[in-house]
Amino acid sequence: AVFEASGFHVAPHPPADENVLKLGRAHTSCKECLPLILTTGTLLNYSYNLKKKDEVLVYFMASASGPCRFGQYWVFMEDLVRRLEIADVAIFSLTSDNSYFGLEGHLNYYKAWWALVISDVMEDIRSMLLANAVDAGLAMDVFQARWQPVVNAMKSGGFEQIMDELDKSVEAFSGIDMKKDPADVPVILVTGEIFVRRDGLSRQFITERLARKGFAVVCSPVSEWIRYADYCIETEGDNWQKLSLGQKLRFKIRRIFMNRYEKRIFGSLSRTGLVHNPWTDVRTVIENATPYISPNLGGEAILTVGSALTEIASEVCGVIAIGPFGCMPNRIAESILSEVMTKDDKLGIATREKHLQTMLADLDSLPFLAVESDGSPFPQLIEAKLEAFCLRALRLHDRMRALN
């Protein structure tokens, strides 16, 4: 919607399914991580089945540096297009090294930020409705009925028009019958690799599965990565020096307005009572992870470690870190969290939360589960671990409610 509002002709591909997964696997070695396989399948499926004969396709594939193979996705895809001799297809890439600058004058960056924040919060609202609505099917109908006007306002309206649609959504969601007070619903944080944690097929629809068990899922927001990219620019001298004077000025101004817009959007949607707390500042997340992982190791690993330790027992009763099979940043995070998701480590960073000492008195480890996905159904071992994890998370939730 944001790209269309800026004058681009955009064709968003439907969420990946088994056919897209098979197509991606057929054109990769299958040793690559799952997001590459699925995005390759998406590109080929559109090119072969949806693209019109006279259409020129530019496939938007973001990029990043650091210890992740993500920086090589666009390189792989350009080579694939050449090898398969796919006509009228090109790859367009922006990088996190300059916080995805590169479309200045062509894309409304502020509107892009509104879209990210709104979609992040709305996903958490959707999860709470799935877990707690008396009639989940009816709740999803209401959700979809209100989602489309928000998207339409994003295409054609300004901020105030979008806020009007959000206010109407608040009214609609507030009228949905709930099983219990949303504050009494146990909440699980799903974090990890940014693509897998957000893609239904990749995460094996874990939001819906946990909802059937009575848990609402809070998924680490996509906007977190934009905040992290900005943090890296400010703290890593080389990236900052590469920006022009105009880009530096726009960067500073953009940060001010980003904060204002986020506060306004969250303030509106929080009136539903379905989301409770604004996200923790990225700097705090990184500070909480720094004793265990160096900030100089760029990528999602430090965010996964920091958000897990920050949120557990304070906002959520359990943490699931999910990523592609063989993902190095996710395995680094898993190896650390398997050791530090303990009472002592939590108390070490939550010195202001005095009640935690009582709540966690006889608990050594805190509910944590690491999952690797290759797009296939979870094996029995993961299913068994998930059941045990849910039992432990529910016990911690009961303690959290008893002391609040």
Side-chain angles (χ1 to χ4, degrees):
V2 172
F3 274 90
E4 286 190 11
S6 298
F8 292 87
H9 175 61
V10 180
H13 196 284
D17 56 17
E18 291 291 339
N19 291 329
V20 168
L21 178 61
K22 290 177 181 178
L23 187 58
R25 284 174 171 169
H27 290 85
T28 59
S29 69
C30 296
K31 295 179 181 178
E32 298 89 355
C33 45
L34 181 61
L36 174 62
I37 295 173
L38 287 178
T39 51
T40 297
T42 297
L43 169 61
L44 296 177
N45 184 61
Y46 188 89
S47 300
Y48 292 151
N49 302 319
L50 302 175
K51 180 175 174 291
K52 299 174 183 177
K53 288 186 178 180
D54 60 345
E55 183 176 293
V56 176
L57 173 66
V58 177
Y59 191 64
F60 179 51
M61 172 54 64
S63 182
S65 58
C68 179
R69 305 168 208 174
F70 182 45
Q72 294 300 306
Y73 280 24
W74 69 274
V75 178
F76 172 88
M77 289 182 178
E78 280 194 340
D79 181 63
L80 182 69
V81 170
R82 282 194 296 267
R83 286 191 289 109
L84 298 180
E85 299 181 349
I86 305 175
D88 297 325
V89 173
I91 309 299
F92 177 65
S93 181
L94 298 177
T95 177
S96 64
D97 288 348
N98 64 359
S99 199
Y100 304 102
F101 277 106
L103 284 175
E104 302 98 311
H106 302 283
L107 179 68
N108 187 330
Y109 275 88
Y110 289 122
K111 184 170 278 193
W113 178 246
W114 308 340
L116 284 176
V117 174
I118 290 170
S119 61
D120 284 335
V121 182
M122 290 287 271
E123 171 63 11
D124 291 343
I125 289 175
R126 186 184 77 92
S127 175
M128 180 60 76
L129 291 175
L130 281 171
N132 197 38
V134 173
D135 186 336
L138 176 61
M140 288 301 98
D141 290 341
V142 173
F143 183 89
Q144 291 301 331
R146 285 307 314 154
W147 178 244
Q148 194 56 50
V150 174
V151 174
N152 293 339
M154 193 69 68
K155 291 180 182 179
S156 59
F159 186 70
E160 294 305 325
Q161 183 179 341
I162 294 168
M163 291 303 301
D164 287 343
E165 292 298 339
L166 291 182
D167 290 339
K168 293 176 184 177
S169 299
V170 170
E171 294 179 12
F173 298 157
S174 299
I176 298 174
D177 292 332
M178 295 291 165
K179 298 174 184 176
K180 60 177 77 171
D181 186 332
D184 292 327
V185 177
V187 178
I188 301 295
L189 172 66
V190 172
T191 186
E193 195 273 328
I194 192 169
F195 182 97
V196 170
R197 76 187 188 214
R198 281 284 176 178
D199 178 63
L201 179 68
S202 298
R203 66 186 185 186
Q204 287 298 297
F205 307 99
I206 199 165
T207 295
E208 292 76 8
R209 296 172 67 176
L210 287 172
R212 290 193 290 270
K213 297 177 182 292
F215 292 91
V217 165
V218 173
C219 190
S220 290
V222 177
S223 55
E224 173 190 66
W225 182 256
I226 304 300
R227 291 289 196 186
Y228 178 65
D230 287 352
Y231 168 86
C232 290
I233 287 176
E234 289 187 306
T235 57
E236 296 174 8
D238 289 344
N239 287 336
W240 181 253
Q241 294 303 322
K242 290 177 183 177
L243 296 181
S244 67
L245 181 60
Q247 286 178 326
K248 291 177 181 178
L249 181 60
R250 286 194 294 274
F251 177 87
K252 293 291 188 180
I253 295 173
R254 189 184 69 168
R255 288 289 301 277
I256 295 172
F257 281 95
M258 282 171 62
N259 293 336
R260 292 180 181 177
Y261 287 132
E262 183 176 19
K263 184 177 180 179
R264 179 95 179 270
I265 291 168
F266 190 88
S268 175
L269 291 176
S270 65
R271 291 188 290 111
T272 61
L274 303 176
V275 285
H276 302 292
N277 294 289
W279 306 302
T280 304
D281 180 70
V282 166
R283 288 182 179 273
T284 301
V285 169
I286 293 173
E287 287 172 4
N288 289 342
T290 297
Y292 313 103
I293 181 171
S294 171
N296 295 324
L297 181 62
E300 290 150 322
I302 193 167
L303 298 177
T304 301
V305 172
S307 60
L309 285 169
T310 302
E311 299 294 326
I312 189 65
S314 299
E315 307 295 342
V316 303
C317 60
V319 175
I320 296 176
I322 189 167
F325 179 79
C327 172
M328 185 177 75
N330 221 58
R331 286 191 173 181
I332 291 173
E334 176 188 353
S335 65
I336 294 171
L337 288 172
S338 296
E339 297 292 328
V340 306
M341 284 287 278
T342 65
K343 173 186 67 178
D344 292 340
D345 288 283
K346 174 62 183 181
L347 294 176
I349 66 168
T351 54
R352 296 182 181 179
E353 300 180 59
K354 304 300 183 183
H355 66 286
L356 287 179
Q357 188 73 50
T358 303
M359 182 198 305
L360 306 178
D362 58 343
L363 291 179
D364 291 325
S365 62
L366 303 173
F368 169 70
L369 177 64
V371 178
E372 290 191 343
S373 174
D374 64 358
S376 302
F378 293 150
Q380 285 186 329
L381 178 60
I382 294 298
E383 294 286 358
K385 287 184 176 181
L386 183 60
E387 290 293 330
F389 165 83
C390 287
L391 289 174
R392 297 182 63 217
L394 189 58
R395 293 190 190 107
L396 179 57
H397 169 75
D398 291 340
R399 292 187 179 212
M400 292 170 65
R401 294 307 300 156
L403 288 175
N404 285 340

